[in-house]
Amino acid sequence: MRRLLAPALLALVAACSNGQFNPIVDAAVDEILPGERAPEQAKPKTPVTRAALTRADVAAIRVGLLDHPSRTLLFAASENGGYVTYSSVLRQNFTLNGAFITGVRGVGWDLLSAASSRPDPLVSPIPPGRWPASVKRTYIFPNFTPQGRVEVYDCRFEMGAVQEMVIVEQRHRGVLVTETCTGDYGSFENLHFADVGSGQVWRSLQWVGPQQGIIDLEILVPFTGRRS
């Protein structure tokens, strides 16, 4: 199955700029969430299924806020040097480098960009037993200056218990990893569920800024950049 943008649609990504809906997201929404763009009173309650994700054949994630029960489905709409931007039917955008959230638009409080030192097991999967002790994360938020507000944190990993988790009908066995980050602006804590073998992060409670707080991220169909 393809885990990337359908080649026939790659040339259409630029269509977003003229006010039209991204055709990649448009096609995926029609396949997985039929009627999602119908008037609110006419919308059906459509559950996301693994079969529908397979038919859509596009990398997909699901995100939510810790204090809100709803979840938003987003589909890979563009890729640039390993940074994949996922878009929702409401034109919310999340940019990920692997499972590391590096940009947020249209959710409430923007994250302009984020970067990390290497190796970062969120960016490139590493078996849990070989994760580095720590990484350095740099976040840039909107501010009244052209360069934005830059915040730098030192983040340490601590391995936890092995558990099983089901994400849209797919069972995963992984290690819970606590990530504790401290810096001049304060501290925060992330929690990752990493595959016990490959280290692929399937779910992550991940900080994206002091105003937005923690995002609950699920990787439904990972982006690989190639046919598989």
Side-chain angles (χ1 to χ4, degrees), residues 52 160 179 207:
E179 178 183 348
W207 186 83

Side-chain angles (χ1 to χ4, degrees), residues 15-210:
C16 309
S17 60
N18 64 9
Q20 298 178 358
F21 197 69
N22 188 300
I24 298 168
V25 180
D26 195 53
V29 168
D30 286 342
E31 180 64 58
I32 299 173
L33 300 174
E36 186 68 17
R37 286 184 295 279
E40 189 66 33
Q41 63 271 20
K43 286 185 181 179
K45 299 296 183 181
T46 307
V48 179
T49 66
R50 183 58 54 177
L53 289 169
T54 299
R55 289 194 303 271
D57 202 15
V58 175
I61 63 174
R62 190 163 57 182
V63 301
L65 303 176
L66 286 185
D67 57 354
H68 200 284
S70 66
R71 293 291 181 265
T72 300
L73 193 62
L74 301 96
F75 305 96
S78 64
E79 186 270 347
N80 182 16
Y83 291 82
V84 182
T85 296
Y86 296 80
S87 297
S88 76
V89 67
L90 298 177
R91 295 170 172 79
Q92 299 160 319
N93 292 325
F94 277 74
T95 300
L96 272 61
N97 189 6
F100 178 38
I101 301 173
T102 64
V104 178
R105 300 288 191 282
V107 178
W109 302 90
D110 287 351
L111 167 63
L112 297 182
S113 67
S116 61
S117 60
R118 297 294 187 269
D120 182 355
L122 269 65
V123 172
S124 298
I126 300 172
R130 304 210 310 263
W131 278 35
S134 64
V135 295
K136 184 181 294 291
R137 302 200 185 280
T138 302
Y139 299 86
I140 301 180
F141 302 102
N143 202 1
F144 298 109
T145 58
Q147 68 271 24
R149 187 179 77 255
V150 180
E151 299 188 10
V152 180
Y153 296 88
D154 291 311
C155 302
R156 299 190 61 83
F157 298 117
E158 182 178 347
M159 298 293 154
V162 174
Q163 296 188 7
E164 289 193 347
M165 182 179 297
V166 177
I167 300 177
V168 187
E169 305 169 26
Q170 190 169 79
R171 186 174 298 276
H172 302 282
R173 187 166 180 264
V175 178
L176 287 178
V177 184
T178 302
E179 178 183 348
T180 303
C181 300
T182 58
D184 292 341
Y185 286 86
S187 63
F188 59 89
E189 192 170 272
N190 295 331
L191 184 64
H192 312 298
F193 179 77
D195 188 272
V196 71
S198 69
Q200 165 71 49
V201 173
W202 293 109
R203 190 169 186 180
S204 178
L205 302 182
Q206 199 168 143
W207 186 83
V208 294

